[in-house]
Amino acid sequence: PNTGSLQPIIDTMTSMMMAIRMVWIISRYFNTEEKMIGLLEKIANQISQKVSQHIDFRTILSQKPAEAKRKIKEGQQVLLRWKSAYTQVQDEINQSEKEQHWVFETKRLFDTTDYMAERCGELLEIVAILEHYQAVLGSQLKSVLTDTTGIEKILKDVEKLKKPIETLT
């Protein structure tokens, strides 16, 4: 489940939100705040679930740094796009004098996705730091040293830093 790409979700987010706007305007069932917030909340939950599957924090730090960064950035982009697409449609609806305004409790829609986007940023920093240590303490340094046991110990200590994240539940 975590090998694919989230790009199709990113690419269709704006179109999906425009379709939801049409549902808001046309539907007799979904034209109430209660029904629409329920639908939007389900979408937010699905987005969170897809990103969680895509970025398995238990294994992401074991992947090659380039692949880990790609997955994390893609997940973060989905989460940020969700909010920006919603905000764009909300602004359009609220500026329209013909449509009933969207004044929904955004905490229900964005608490989890905002939290996840922040954690993605932190994961990107962690991957960059690990990559830096691996580069600095890598084969080039080992090739000029006669005794690499100190370097090996530091590299093992760097690897140990991954454990607290990999063992989270």
Side-chain angles (χ1 to χ4, degrees), residues 55-66:
I55 306 170
D56 181 353
F57 62 87
R58 291 173 202 85
T59 61
I60 194 76
L61 298 179
S62 301
Q63 296 177 18
K64 292 181 181 176

Side-chain angles (χ1 to χ4, degrees), residues 24-56:
W24 174 252
I25 295 167
I26 296 169
S27 174
R28 291 184 182 153
Y29 182 78
F30 282 105
N31 71 348
T32 66
E33 181 177 339
E34 179 185 321
K35 299 293 184 189
M36 186 53 73
I37 193 87
L39 175 63
L40 292 169
E41 205 169 17
K42 287 176 183 171
I43 293 168
N45 290 338
Q46 282 296 307
I47 289 168
S48 299
Q49 184 179 10
K50 288 289 184 192
V51 171
S52 291
Q53 290 171 348
H54 188 68
I55 306 170
D56 181 353

Side-chain angles (χ1 to χ4, degrees), residues 26 31 40 57 73 78 81 130 144 146 155:
I26 296 169
N31 71 348
L40 292 169
F57 62 87
K73 285 178 183 176
V78 167
R81 179 67 59 91
L130 291 171
V144 295
T146 53
L155 282 172

Side-chain angles (χ1 to χ4, degrees), residues 95-112:
Q95 289 173 8
S96 170
E97 294 183 16
K98 297 178 182 177
E99 297 175 43
Q100 182 181 347
H101 289 196
W102 270 11
V103 188
F104 303 139
E105 185 184 341
T106 55
K107 182 177 178 169
R108 286 174 61 184
L109 301 178
F110 301 112
D111 259 10
T112 300

Side-chain angles (χ1 to χ4, degrees), residues 48-136:
S48 299
Q49 184 179 10
K50 288 289 184 192
V51 171
S52 291
Q53 290 171 348
H54 188 68
I55 306 170
D56 181 353
F57 62 87
R58 291 173 202 85
T59 61
I60 194 76
L61 298 179
S62 301
Q63 296 177 18
K64 292 181 181 176
E67 179 64 10
K69 284 195 255 184
R70 181 194 68 78
K71 284 184 173 185
I72 296 166
K73 285 178 183 176
E74 203 173 54
Q76 187 179 43
Q77 192 177 7
V78 167
L79 297 163
L80 296 173
R81 179 67 59 91
W82 157 240
K83 190 170 189 174
S84 68
Y86 170 88
T87 303
Q88 178 185 350
V89 169
Q90 180 188 36
D91 289 346
E92 290 172 11
I93 288 172
N94 291 347
Q95 289 173 8
S96 170
E97 294 183 16
K98 297 178 182 177
E99 297 175 43
Q100 182 181 347
H101 289 196
W102 270 11
V103 188
F104 303 139
E105 185 184 341
T106 55
K107 182 177 178 169
R108 286 174 61 184
L109 301 178
F110 301 112
D111 259 10
T112 300
T113 55
D114 286 350
Y115 175 83
M116 290 175 70
E118 289 173 19
R119 298 303 73 80
C120 284
E122 292 166 0
L123 273 174
L124 283 170
E125 288 180 41
I126 292 168
V127 170
I129 291 167
L130 291 171
E131 184 178 34
H132 173 75
Y133 274 108
Q134 290 166 351
V136 169

